[in-house]
Amino acid sequence: MKEKIIAKATDLFMKLGFKSVTMDDIAGEMCISKKTIYKYFCNKEILIAESTTMVHKAIHQSIDTIVAKNHNAIEENFEIRKMFKEMFKAGDHSPVYQLKKHYPEIYDLVMSREITECNFVFKQNIDKGIQQGLYRKDIVVDIYVNFYYTLIFSINGNVSSEKEASALELQALEYHTRAMATAEGITELEKQIHNYHQ
């Protein structure tokens, strides 16, 4: 039951936002009493924390699946971008923005967890791109990882509309890739941008 409550709450939080969903809404959607929810979660903040952990796991499992497909580095980033777009398309409001605004302590916990995971994924991608001749050999990998992380999470934390955040993240990906790309990488980037919009 606990897992079912987390799953339903996560679904509602992603669609309607962390602030607007109440414990009553979750109970109503599940046809259970609010008392049943409180048996497992003494307040909404604990449920939100559990929900963000579930989303974190789902995101990183999806990323691992994409990376395992062995795309080239640029295509891999676009596949990850598509996965995020698909995962968060249900809601109008950016979940990360809402979390930062209404539940800053949980937001800080989420960010400290994400920084390690994301930086590992970004670094792995840049190393791969350099080996494949798609990114320049002379770039300072850690600096580019930091630039990209700052850019992506600045968009997520400051843009309230999920649609706008998604469009800006795509621009950030193009910006990030062009900054690193070799001539071969630019050709691949143009191909991925073309495919993304089809």
Side-chain angles (χ1 to χ4, degrees):
M1 180 53 85
K2 184 180 180 181
E3 278 69 29
K4 284 180 181 171
I5 294 168
I6 296 169
K8 177 50 74 179
T10 301
D11 185 45
L12 291 171
F13 292 147
M14 291 300 118
K15 280 182 189 157
L16 305 169
F18 291 104
K19 183 70 176 164
S20 51
V21 175
T22 65
M23 295 299 232
D24 283 316
D25 295 331
I26 298 162
E29 280 282 322
M30 295 184 74
C31 300
I32 59 173
S33 71
K34 202 159 69 164
K35 193 176 166 189
T36 305
I37 296 176
Y38 281 112
K39 190 172 127 187
Y40 297 98
F41 307 97
C42 59
N43 60 44
K44 185 177 165 185
E45 284 74 14
I46 290 171
L47 183 51
I48 289 172
E50 292 271 0
S51 171
T52 58
T53 300
M54 185 184 216
V55 172
H56 170 82
K57 282 181 185 162
I59 286 170
H60 289 283
Q61 279 171 352
S62 296
I63 289 173
D64 289 346
T65 302
I66 291 167
V67 170
K69 289 183 179 169
N70 228 6
H71 298 294
N72 70 57
I74 294 173
E75 186 177 9
E76 180 178 279
N77 275 340
F78 274 85
E79 289 300 313
I80 290 170
R81 179 75 242 113
K82 281 180 203 164
M83 178 271 294
F84 274 109
K85 188 180 179 189
E86 195 61 32
M87 193 176 260
F88 293 104
K89 73 175 181 187
D92 295 329
H93 308 287
S94 163
V96 179
Y97 176 84
Q98 282 212 349
L99 206 56
K100 184 180 179 185
K101 186 175 179 186
H102 302 292
Y103 302 95
E105 298 84 8
I106 300 171
Y107 171 82
D108 289 342
L109 276 173
V110 168
M111 288 302 105
S112 63
R113 194 170 53 205
E114 287 302 325
I115 194 164
T116 311
E117 295 259 6
C118 289
N119 285 356
F120 175 76
V121 171
F122 297 160
K123 186 177 188 314
Q124 200 178 29
N125 179 269
I126 295 173
D127 289 338
K128 182 180 186 176
I130 291 170
Q131 286 168 9
Q132 293 172 336
L134 298 171
Y135 302 150
R136 292 178 288 108
K137 285 185 170 67
D138 62 345
I139 62 176
V140 183
V141 176
D142 290 338
I143 291 174
Y144 277 72
V145 165
N146 196 29
F147 283 166
Y148 191 48
Y149 178 87
T150 305
L151 205 51
I152 290 295
F153 283 93
S154 160
I155 291 167
N156 274 286
N158 295 300
V159 178
S160 62
S161 156
E162 185 55 42
K163 192 175 179 184
E164 189 186 341
S166 186
L168 285 169
E169 284 170 21
L170 181 62
Q171 293 289 315
L173 175 56
E174 181 181 347
Y175 179 79
H176 171 67
T177 308
R178 282 192 192 280
M180 300 186 294
T182 58
E184 189 186 339
I186 295 288
T187 305
E188 180 61 27
L189 172 63
E190 298 293 349
K191 183 178 122 186
Q192 291 304 324
I193 291 169
H194 177 75
N195 291 345
Y196 190 88
H197 292 298
Q198 288 197 319

